[in-house]
Amino acid sequence: MKRLDEGDVEELLEDDRLRLGVKLEDYLLVYLGVRPCSQITIPAELPSGGEMGRIIDERIYPTLLRIRRGDRGAIRDVKRAMRRAYSEVVEASEEYKAHIGWAERLGLRWRVDEVRPTVRELYLYRERGVEKRLRRLMDRRKRLRREALKRPRGLGIYLAYPEELEADWVVEMGRLLGYPKCCVERYARERSMGLEVEERAHRQLEEAEADAMAYFVSYFFPCSPSCPEAVSMGRRCLRLLEELHPRLGELYRGRVEENLNLVRRLPNLIREHRAEAERRLSLWRSRTRQL
């Protein structure tokens, strides 16, 4: 494992091809051994992810029209076009290359798994054993998704992400990502019941005082806003980052505050995202009817 000096850290912090939260939570916390593994959604978590998504949509639009026209081979061709667009727009970008480059520079292992034809998950980890656990989880996810296509459950997003309903799968993934056991088990139990964890976490912040350190990484939902295990994890992250470089402590304090505020806003953000998806679908249908 390469040992970073202050110059290396400063260079990482100045690299605008990675978001600050990704640098702190996904690269440095795994490098420091606080988390066994981290997960980055590509291209969403790239600095230019939104623009990349728009470009990909424009590139695949002509192929999408064939579905409207009843072409039986269209779905296969659309997926092929999506993967080609992802490769040309995302994998060829300097931002994507920088993410892989920093993983290698920090001595981290990495793997990429396809979520959808235009979405990937980049996993970063140090230990070889994590690779085997990830491979088993990804194989299980593929099976769950194939089964979900045969037996739609009518649960919206869970048709696309049926693994979220499988408590064992969720618990193992949570452990890999370094989340406290109590938080993982509550999340898994609620997801398996089809409950909206985001709404629960938002409501807790309205009803109880929070310790920002409990929100030690983004999109993590502690079992309570002041969960002792999560707070302890956050404080450990802070201490190790401060020991690595003086600037990192202040940056991380700001980051956990952002994570807490994101949980406050997340239900509204999800509703806005769903509304935007419906708007884009409606627009696509309108455009195809005019052809």
Side-chain angles (χ1 to χ4, degrees), residues 116 157 267-280:
R116 296 193 301 276
I157 191 172
N268 286 334
L269 292 176
I270 291 173
R271 284 190 282 271
E272 291 171 7
H273 176 76
R274 289 173 179 170
E276 174 62 15
E278 288 294 327
R279 186 194 68 80
R280 292 173 63 185

Side-chain angles (χ1 to χ4, degrees), residues 111-171:
R111 67 172 280 153
V112 177
D113 286 279
E114 180 178 304
V115 181
R116 296 193 301 276
T118 58
V119 179
R120 305 289 189 277
E121 289 170 344
L122 171 62
Y123 291 93
L124 305 173
Y125 49 96
R126 287 174 40 171
E127 305 301 328
R128 189 180 300 275
V130 172
E131 169 71 25
K132 296 179 180 178
R133 295 168 67 186
L134 276 173
R135 185 168 59 248
R136 287 195 295 267
L137 279 170
M138 296 305 108
D139 288 345
R140 175 63 177 156
R141 181 166 72 176
K142 288 178 182 178
R143 290 195 297 272
L144 289 170
R145 292 186 176 187
R146 286 196 297 266
E147 293 167 5
L149 290 174
K150 299 175 183 177
R151 300 189 301 275
R153 303 191 190 193
L155 289 174
I157 191 172
Y158 297 117
L159 179 59
Y161 300 97
E163 63 275 9
E164 286 281 312
L165 294 173
E166 298 291 330
D168 290 346
W169 193 95
V170 172
V171 167

Side-chain angles (χ1 to χ4, degrees), residues 178-180 183-184 201 214-223 227 230 259 263:
Y179 301 158
C183 304
V184 171
Y215 300 80
F216 65 95
V217 290
S218 56
Y219 296 101
F220 163 68
F221 305 100
C223 57
C227 167
N259 292 341
V263 174

Side-chain angles (χ1 to χ4, degrees), residues 196-215:
E196 294 286 349
V197 176
E198 297 84 357
E199 291 285 354
R200 180 265 294 171
H202 167 80
R203 187 171 60 254
Q204 284 178 314
L205 288 174
E206 294 182 329
E207 299 172 350
E209 186 174 347
D211 186 328
M213 282 297 160
Y215 300 80

